[in-house]
Amino acid sequence: MAFDDDLLAELDELGDDVADESMDAGDAGAPAQPNEHVAAGPTSADISALGEASNSGRIDEEHEAFIGQVVSTAASVFSIAQHAQSSELSALLDEIAQSQAVPAEHKKIIGRVEDDPDYKLVLRANEMSAAVAGEILVVHRFLLDHYKTRFPELETLVRSPVDYARTVKAIGDAADLSRVGLAGILPNATQMVVTVTGSTTSGRQLAADELQRVDEAADCLLGLSQAKHSIVGFIETRMPLIAPNVTAVVGASTAAQLIVEAGGITALSKIPACNIQVLGKSQHTAVGLSSLTSKRHAGAIYYSDAVRSVPEDFRDKMVRKLSAKCALAVRIDSQHEARDGALGQRFRAELDAQVEKLLEAAPVNAVKPLPVPDEGPKRRRGGRKVRKAKEPYMATELQKQRDRLQFGQFQEEVVVMDEMEGAGMLGQSAGRIRATQLNNRAKAKVAKKYEKYMKAPRSVVPGTASLAFTPVQGFELANPQSSDAHVNKKAKTTDSRYFASSTPFLGKRDAK
């Protein structure tokens, strides 16, 4: 749009004027600096990029190196803080004060959002906020470098730039810190530590010109901090009026930064979600430092409060979800719908529910108790059939002797199938091994009608023996001639009784 082009042209002209003044000073006899870009003074783009990094909390080694180069070449604090005494900042603060005189509830946007005066003022205020934040960092480093001559330990005790500037203004060049009133500036515990450390500090007293530079730097830092506070407060109060749904999704500061980067709310509504998530990505100049800790494709949304509130492992996923909701919300705002921000609040509630689901702990597997053990002996199957089936697998006496060992004596070892096995007490016990005890009740019984077949004589060759299967377990040798002799003896007895030659004729029995 035309206003943005005019603002960029003014910033470029301002940078050219600063560069020309530095070149004139160099021609007058100033020593040459090793870095021409730093010697000419930091540009507005560099300071704005530094401020955006400060607002998002991503100051890295590259930014620290840039701040050190700028401060090392600065003769005074106003040579690096261009906006501290600029008419542009003063005019912006006056316009903000006039706009805040009318409450936001009494204002209403009619027509295009881009044509509203508060919308244009918010864009200018957002750009100025980034520039002021960058200058605060530079001025803070300038103040640290010049006051460490007096109190070098104060830098580690007070970390906040604003609190440090207030403390420096209160202490000044005082020798006895116990008489310096630090109440209202630092906490009680920090006051005591600063007082004790200041009494034993290794610093020296400052000269008059050194003390003057320190006071100027402290006043400049406090003034920039107050200006930034006013600008940020104005943005937060006007963004819900300009883009209520986007503000509800990503916050006022991030919403203003996205609109500035896109060139307007209408231009932002035409950008897809995949490109919205990289809007505001800072372009760092390579200075030879490691890039392992730098985050790639991280724009304004990545450093918003909604993303930074989740753990590191879920931030990339949250950026994609937040960018998609932001793309929907900005299209709603561009059409002047849902001016109360209800849709944006609903989108944010859905995101919060999804984040809560992601961070939800895994369900704990319930430990099931063991079942109650069965009391009493178990029922085992028994009976004649079961005992008969177990007999072939029972341990024999030889196996029992092999498994036994006698205390104090070595057992014999034999090789069986290429393996060494111990013989146990085999061959060491006196007497013979007791034979297997037979259970007569477990014997298989033979029916009486089949007994005559089992005892029937069999024709065998005299002088030989044969095997006979009997009801007894196993088999035994039987002599078939023993049964033949019994039969012959019985027949001989009958014949000798009736048909022997010595037996007389008994005659016929008389009939009665």
Side-chain angles (χ1 to χ4, degrees):
M1 58 187 298
F3 176 77
D4 293 340
D5 297 339
D6 296 341
L7 181 60
L8 292 176
E10 292 178 3
L11 294 177
D12 293 339
E13 291 176 1
L14 181 61
D16 295 339
D17 294 341
V18 175
D20 294 339
E21 293 176 1
S22 301
M23 291 178 63
D24 295 340
D27 296 339
Q33 300 295 335
N35 192 331
E36 297 179 357
H37 178 71
V38 177
T43 63
S44 299
D46 296 335
I47 296 298
S48 298
L50 185 62
E52 292 175 1
S54 174
N55 292 335
S56 57
R58 45 191 172 95
I59 297 296
D60 52 13
E61 296 180 358
E62 183 178 349
H63 295 108
E64 294 290 346
F66 173 75
I67 295 173
Q69 292 178 358
V70 172
V71 173
S72 62
T73 58
S76 65
V77 66
F78 299 106
S79 63
I80 56 178
Q82 301 174 3
H83 295 86
Q85 296 180 342
S86 65
S87 59
E88 183 182 0
L89 179 59
S90 301
L92 180 64
L93 293 177
D94 293 340
E95 293 181 16
I96 289 175
Q98 295 177 4
S99 178
Q100 287 180 335
V102 180
E105 296 82 7
H106 298 165
K107 292 191 176 184
K108 185 177 181 180
I109 298 177
I110 301 175
R112 297 175 67 246
V113 180
E114 288 82 352
D115 298 334
D116 187 74
D118 281 351
Y119 173 78
K120 298 178 181 179
L121 187 58
V122 165
L123 296 184
R124 292 172 54 195
N126 188 70
E127 293 180 353
M128 185 60 68
S129 174
V132 170
E135 289 188 356
I136 289 176
L137 291 179
V138 176
V139 174
H140 181 223
R141 175 62 66 86
F142 182 88
L143 183 59
L144 289 176
D145 293 347
H146 285 77
Y147 196 70
K148 67 181 180 182
T149 306
R150 172 66 185 87
F151 198 169
E153 297 85 3
L154 185 61
E155 178 182 358
T156 59
L157 300 178
V158 183
R159 308 294 298 180
S160 173
V162 178
D163 293 341
Y164 185 85
R166 292 176 179 175
T167 306
V168 170
K169 289 287 294 181
I171 295 176
D173 201 22
D176 188 6
L177 271 67
S178 60
R179 299 181 179 180
V180 176
L182 298 177
I185 301 176
L186 300 175
N188 295 332
T190 308
Q191 293 180 29
M192 182 175 59
V193 174
V194 170
T195 303
V196 174
T197 308
S199 60
T200 59
T201 182
S202 59
R204 61 173 178 83
Q205 297 293 324
L206 296 177
D209 57 341
E210 294 176 344
L211 184 60
Q212 182 181 0
R213 282 196 295 268
V214 168
D215 290 338
E216 290 178 353
D219 293 336
C220 180
L221 194 150
L222 293 176
L224 291 174
S225 175
Q226 182 64 29
K228 180 184 176 183
H229 184 268
S230 300
I231 292 173
V232 171
F234 171 74
I235 293 175
E236 291 179 353
T237 56
R238 288 299 182 267
M239 278 307 298
L241 179 65
I242 298 172
N245 296 284
V246 179
T247 304
V249 174
V250 296
S253 179
T254 306
Q257 187 176 356
L258 290 176
I259 293 175
V260 172
E261 291 291 338
I265 192 170
T266 303
L268 182 61
S269 64
K270 300 177 182 179
I271 300 177
C274 59
N275 293 339
I276 289 179
Q277 65 184 6
V278 296
L279 279 180
K281 180 180 180 297
S282 58
Q283 301 291 337
H284 300 301
T285 304
V287 293
L289 300 177
S290 175
S291 60
L292 295 177
T293 57
S294 61
K295 185 67 178 177
R296 299 179 59 188
H297 309 299
I301 291 183
Y302 184 85
Y303 297 101
S304 62
D305 295 337
V307 177
R308 292 166 64 87
S309 61
V310 301
E312 183 72 23
D313 297 339
F314 301 99
R315 287 185 180 178
D316 292 337
K317 182 179 292 186
M318 187 61 180
V319 166
R320 293 191 293 269
K321 293 180 178 293
L322 194 62
S323 301
K325 297 298 184 182
C326 181
L328 296 176
V330 72
R331 292 166 188 171
I332 296 173
D333 291 334
S334 64
Q335 300 298 325
H336 301 281
E337 297 180 2
R339 301 307 301 171
D340 57 348
L343 292 178
Q345 295 174 5
R346 192 185 74 181
F347 293 159
R348 185 58 185 269
E350 293 176 358
L351 289 174
D352 294 340
Q354 293 176 8
V355 171
E356 186 177 356
K357 187 66 176 178
L358 286 175
L359 302 180
E360 194 175 59
V364 180
N365 295 330
V367 180
K368 297 182 179 180
L370 295 175
V372 179
D374 297 335
E375 298 181 358
K378 296 182 179 180
R379 297 182 58 184
R380 301 180 183 276
R381 183 175 176 83
R384 184 176 57 187
K385 293 183 179 180
V386 176
R387 291 192 297 272
K388 190 68 176 178
K390 290 181 179 179
E391 284 182 1
Y393 306 103
M394 294 174 61
T396 61
E397 290 293 332
L398 292 176
Q399 292 176 347
K400 294 179 181 179
Q401 292 292 336
R402 183 197 63 182
D403 296 337
R404 291 177 182 174
L405 289 177
Q406 190 172 0
F407 181 77
Q409 294 185 7
F410 294 99
Q411 64 173 343
E412 297 182 3
E413 294 181 348
V414 294
V415 179
V416 179
M417 300 294 293
D418 297 335
E419 294 183 1
M420 186 71 69
E421 292 188 4
M425 295 183 64
L426 287 176
Q428 298 182 9
S429 59
R432 295 187 305 173
I433 297 176
R434 186 175 60 183
T436 305
Q437 298 295 327
L438 299 180
N439 187 2
N440 296 326
R441 294 179 299 175
K443 286 184 178 182
K445 298 181 179 180
V446 183
K448 293 183 178 181
K449 63 179 180 179
Y450 296 117
E451 290 182 357
K452 59 181 180 179
Y453 298 108
M454 298 183 64
K455 296 181 179 180
R458 295 178 297 273
S459 59
V460 295
V461 180
T464 62
S466 63
L467 296 176
F469 291 91
T470 64
V472 182
Q473 181 180 7
F475 55 88
E476 61 182 4
L477 293 175
N479 186 7
Q481 293 182 357
S482 60
S483 59
D484 294 345
H486 177 71
V487 174
N488 294 335
K489 181 178 180 181
K490 184 176 181 181
K492 186 177 180 180
T493 304
T494 304
D495 293 343
S496 61
R497 181 178 179 182
Y498 295 101
F499 302 104
S501 57
S502 60
T503 301
F505 183 75
L506 298 179
K508 183 178 179 182
R509 180 176 299 179
D510 296 336
K512 292 182 181 179

